[in-house]
């Protein structure tokens, strides 16, 4: 629930949609925004459900945030390099 109303995440998706579909009609943009919102909600709900079944002292609970961090840093570095080059 904290991620969905995040203005930075919403602004990022608006920028992505504007870059991918510059000539999109309002209805197309609204459908895309609804799809992103529903997809994000579904993903975080599913992830929370999976993690709620894992014991708190399990190894996955310690490793998963690190894997996510490495993935996000990798995406950010790729985006910066792609923009510069």
């Amino acid at each position: 629930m904290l991620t969905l109303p995040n203005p930075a995440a919403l602004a990022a998706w608006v920028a992505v949609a504007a870059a991918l579909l510059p000539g999109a009609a309002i209805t197309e943009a609204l459908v895309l925004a609804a799809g992103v919102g529903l997809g994000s909600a579904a993903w975080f709900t599913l992830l929370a459900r999976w993690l709620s079944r894992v014991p708190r002292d399990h190894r996955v609970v310690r490793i998963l945030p690190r894997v996510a961090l490495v993935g996000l840093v990798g995406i950010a570095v790729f985006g910066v390099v792609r923009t510069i080059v």
Side-chain angles (χ1 to χ4, degrees):
M1 294 303 286
L2 293 174
T3 304
L4 294 177
N6 183 350
L10 183 59
W13 277 110
V14 168
V16 168
L20 293 177
L21 302 168
I26 296 293
T27 54
E28 292 172 328
L30 290 174
V31 168
L32 180 65
V36 167
L38 290 173
S40 296
W43 166 249
F44 286 110
T45 300
L46 185 62
L47 184 62
R49 212 175 144 105
W50 284 341
L51 287 177
S52 70
R53 295 180 181 174
V54 176
R56 287 190 178 270
D57 60 344
H58 197 274
R59 200 171 135 213
V60 170
V61 176
R62 290 189 314 270
I63 293 174
L64 190 61
R66 291 181 183 129
V67 170
L69 175 66
V70 169
L72 290 172
V73 168
I75 291 169
V77 168
F78 175 76
V80 168
V81 170
R82 185 171 174 215
T83 302
I84 292 173
V85 175

